[in-house]
Amino acid sequence: RLRWKRESKGQYAAFGRPPGFKLHDGEKTYAMVSPLGGDSRRPLTGWYWVAGWDSDVPYKNTCDHPVETPECAKEQAEAYVRQHLHSGKQ
């Protein structure tokens, strides 16, 4: 069962950026959603996701195509992960 977990706010507080999210099943992390910018040096310009580094899902990084909200990034990431888990593509 896949579920989202918000990353700890503590590690981001020093940088002034919002925490991201991890999509996991309790053992493996399948995708991560992170803010693009949003710290003391750069304004928040959107959200992106990365998938596939410790799972059977092909690697993908969307930092070149950020979306406006974390919810949108989470939807895209989860759809990508589920597509590849369901189809068995690696």
Side-chain angles (χ1 to χ4, degrees):
R1 186 182 141 217
L2 296 176
R3 57 195 177 272
W4 287 100
K5 180 178 181 182
R6 187 174 194 133
E7 295 178 321
S8 169
K9 291 181 182 181
Q11 65 186 1
Y12 292 95
F15 301 107
R17 66 187 283 194
F21 301 87
K22 291 183 180 182
L23 181 64
H24 67 95
D25 66 3
E27 294 180 22
K28 294 180 182 178
T29 298
Y30 291 87
M32 293 177 67
V33 167
S34 299
L36 191 58
D39 58 25
S40 59
R41 295 175 290 147
R42 296 181 301 163
L44 181 65
T45 58
W47 292 80
Y48 70 101
W49 56 271
V50 179
W53 56 94
D54 81 348
S55 65
D56 296 327
V57 174
Y59 179 80
K60 184 168 183 174
N61 184 331
T62 66
C63 68
D64 290 337
H65 304 287
V67 293
E68 194 171 315
T69 66
E71 291 78 17
C72 185
K74 287 166 56 176
E75 287 176 19
Q76 289 179 5
E78 189 166 345
Y80 178 83
V81 168
R82 288 186 184 281
Q83 172 191 348
H84 288 284
L85 289 178
H86 180 66
S87 68
K89 294 180 185 175
Q90 294 189 20

